[in-house]
Amino acid sequence: MRLATPSGFATEVFLLEAPDKGLLPDGHWTLVGDMRLREAWTGAGMPEPGDALWVTVPEEEKKLRTVIPWLEHWARVPLHRDATVVALGGGVVSDLVGLGAALYLRGVAWQVWPTTLLAMADASLGGKTGADLAAGKNLVGAFHPPKRLVACTGFLKDLPARHLENGRWELIKTALILGEMAWAMEMLQDGPVRFAWVERALAYKAGVVHRDPREAGERRLLNLGHTLGHALEAASGYRLLHGEAVGLGLLGACLLAEEQGLKSFPPDLLDLLVRRLTPLAPLIAPWPACLPLLHRDKKAKRASGHTEEAPATEIHCILPRPGESAIQRALAPRVWEVPHARLIDLLDREAHRA
Ligand SMILES: NC(=O)c1ccc[n+]([C@@H]2O[C@H](COP(=O)([O-])OP(=O)(O)OC[C@H]3O[C@@H](n4cnc5c(N)ncnc54)[C@H](O)[C@@H]3O)[C@@H](O)[C@H]2O)c1
């Protein structure tokens, strides 16, 4: 099924159960695929070009050094400017292949075939490609939208449960941005992920990204849960997966919104969030480990005259509201101290109650 996207949107979006070779590029194309998917791909009758690269890239190798041999390989093939690169894998593979496609010959076309729920629901749409530097995640990258996104939900059948849960948090994020409490609560219940949720999340993100491709305004709403989430992810030494950290950040953002005097959340919603997040409690770093990371937030504002190392005076925070769309506020990093403490307390109580 082809999803409706805004007219002129850079990426055609397809959501299918099984892969369809009719959606592969016309003309010369090559593939960079996650080795874990090779059997599922060829087993589904999908072609494997002779110059395909099957790779295994752990999160800690989402680095420029991983992409360079791919670029050298494409130059040896050789891949010309009119060729298309197909990325098959989770967010790590798609971020790196997209970056490679942006760099090679100053930009060749690419398609993304996401294979994790996180990549289907979020990472593969929006044109952000990137790699990590020693100083932090995604600090180098390019906006280079794929021509086509083909999400085949059949690939999810072998995805480990932890990674399914990881992607589910990005879906729950969408409901909270929109203020749709009933949808958020439906997704927070136990039970399988529904394709309709992925479809809605993709359609919403496509609209936002189309209106604000460079994240100058509305697109920042997609960072709901990411301010505290990124700090918790880094402070855990990346033992928390990205989506898990976002899940914790979502509860933190609900608590911060209440602290800021916005409308209270239905207790049932907070209970469901707490119950789902409790297994992550041992990975939550103490506040002193989080504060310096919040100060380093990419969109931090600093007092004039201070250097980059100076503590941030304000960071960009997204506050969810029940029944209404989330809002943006610039706040001092320390405002997160109370929500962080409440988060730990709520998960602690639930762990002792269960
Ligand atoms: N570009 C963006 O807008 C954006 C947005 C969100 C996240 N990201 C990035 O996405 C990355 C995380 O992506 P991810 O969560 O997909 O992790 P991932 O790509 O590391 O995949 C998770 C694991 O699942 C395996 N895997 C992939 N598909 C599988 C399948 N169908 N069956 C079995 N195993 C499978 C992978 O080999 C890997 O071990 C992070 O680097 C993050 O920065 C990017």
Side-chain angles (χ1 to χ4, degrees):
M1 170 193 38
R2 180 163 176 192
L3 258 66
T5 46
S7 116
F9 190 60
T11 307
E12 293 175 337
V13 181
F14 292 85
L15 187 59
L16 318 169
E17 164 96 45
D20 172 358
K21 52 175 176 280
L23 293 174
L24 286 166
D26 298 325
H28 187 199
W29 63 278
T30 190
L31 176 83
V32 183
D34 185 322
M35 184 55 112
R36 282 205 170 92
L37 272 300
R38 188 173 189 175
E39 225 178 282
W41 179 259
T42 53
M46 296 298 283
E48 187 182 9
D51 50 27
L53 292 170
W54 290 101
V55 298
T56 300
V57 191
E59 181 74 59
E60 55 277 18
E61 284 304 317
K62 204 178 104 174
K63 299 272 165 57
L64 282 169
R65 64 170 176 248
T66 302
V67 183
I68 291 165
W70 305 351
L71 302 176
E72 297 284 5
H73 172 74
W74 295 340
R76 273 192 308 269
V77 166
L79 219 63
H80 297 295
R81 191 161 276 153
D82 56 358
T84 303
V85 180
V86 174
L88 173 74
V92 169
V93 166
S94 59
D95 273 10
L96 288 179
V97 175
L99 180 61
L103 294 173
Y104 184 69
L105 301 181
R106 300 199 180 89
V108 292
W110 71 296
Q111 287 192 354
V112 61
W113 293 60
T115 63
T116 62
L117 182 59
L118 183 126
M120 289 183 193
D122 188 39
S124 58
L125 189 72
K128 283 189 186 176
T129 70
D132 302 338
L133 295 180
K137 273 185 64 66
N138 301 320
L139 290 185
V140 59
F143 284 98
H144 187 51
K147 294 276 178 236
R148 186 172 283 169
L149 183 171
V150 188
C152 305
T153 50
F155 286 138
L156 298 178
K157 75 174 175 19
D158 295 324
L159 189 70
R162 186 175 177 197
H163 282 283
L164 268 181
E165 181 71 8
N166 188 46
R168 197 169 176 127
W169 286 112
E170 293 283 4
L171 296 169
I172 295 165
K173 176 195 80 174
T174 306
L176 290 176
I177 293 172
L178 293 165
E180 292 200 18
M181 296 300 107
W183 186 28
M185 281 163 67
E186 185 191 340
M187 290 191 279
L188 282 163
Q189 309 281 348
D190 291 333
V193 171
R194 294 186 195 289
F195 301 164
W197 302 344
V198 179
E199 191 184 328
R200 263 199 90 183
L202 283 174
Y204 169 71
K205 186 168 178 183
V208 172
V209 164
H210 189 62
R211 289 187 291 273
D212 179 17
R214 294 277 168 154
E215 203 172 310
E218 184 187 4
R219 186 168 180 173
R220 291 180 172 191
L221 291 177
L222 300 175
N223 292 329
L224 176 63
H226 285 62
T227 311
L228 184 61
H230 274 151
L232 291 172
E233 187 182 2
S236 76
Y238 296 97
R239 283 186 303 145
L240 276 172
L241 298 178
H242 177 75
E244 293 172 340
V246 167
L248 292 165
L250 289 174
L251 177 54
C254 292
L255 301 174
L256 178 63
E258 291 189 350
E259 286 289 320
Q260 292 286 310
L262 301 183
K263 220 194 280 173
S264 298
F265 284 88
D268 288 356
L269 174 97
L270 296 180
D271 285 350
L272 283 168
L273 279 167
V274 168
R275 223 170 295 155
R276 237 187 150 89
L277 291 167
T278 296
L280 304 176
L283 296 176
I284 301 180
W287 174 247
C290 296
L291 183 62
L293 293 160
L294 285 166
H295 277 289
R296 268 193 249 152
D297 188 272
K298 268 194 254 176
K299 291 172 200 83
K301 278 192 203 149
R302 291 175 176 79
S304 60
H306 284 226
T307 63
E308 270 294 294
E309 284 73 41
T313 50
E314 283 179 345
I315 55 173
H316 188 253
C317 304
I318 313 295
L319 303 176
R321 301 180 297 176
E324 285 175 281
S325 176
I327 55 167
Q328 314 191 24
R329 267 194 198 165
L331 297 168
R334 63 179 155 68
V335 298
W336 286 97
E337 183 170 5
V338 172
H340 177 274
R342 272 190 74 198
L343 178 68
I344 291 180
D345 184 51
L346 286 167
L347 301 196
D348 219 41
R349 279 169 200 244
E350 175 62 22
H352 283 97
R353 200 197 57 78

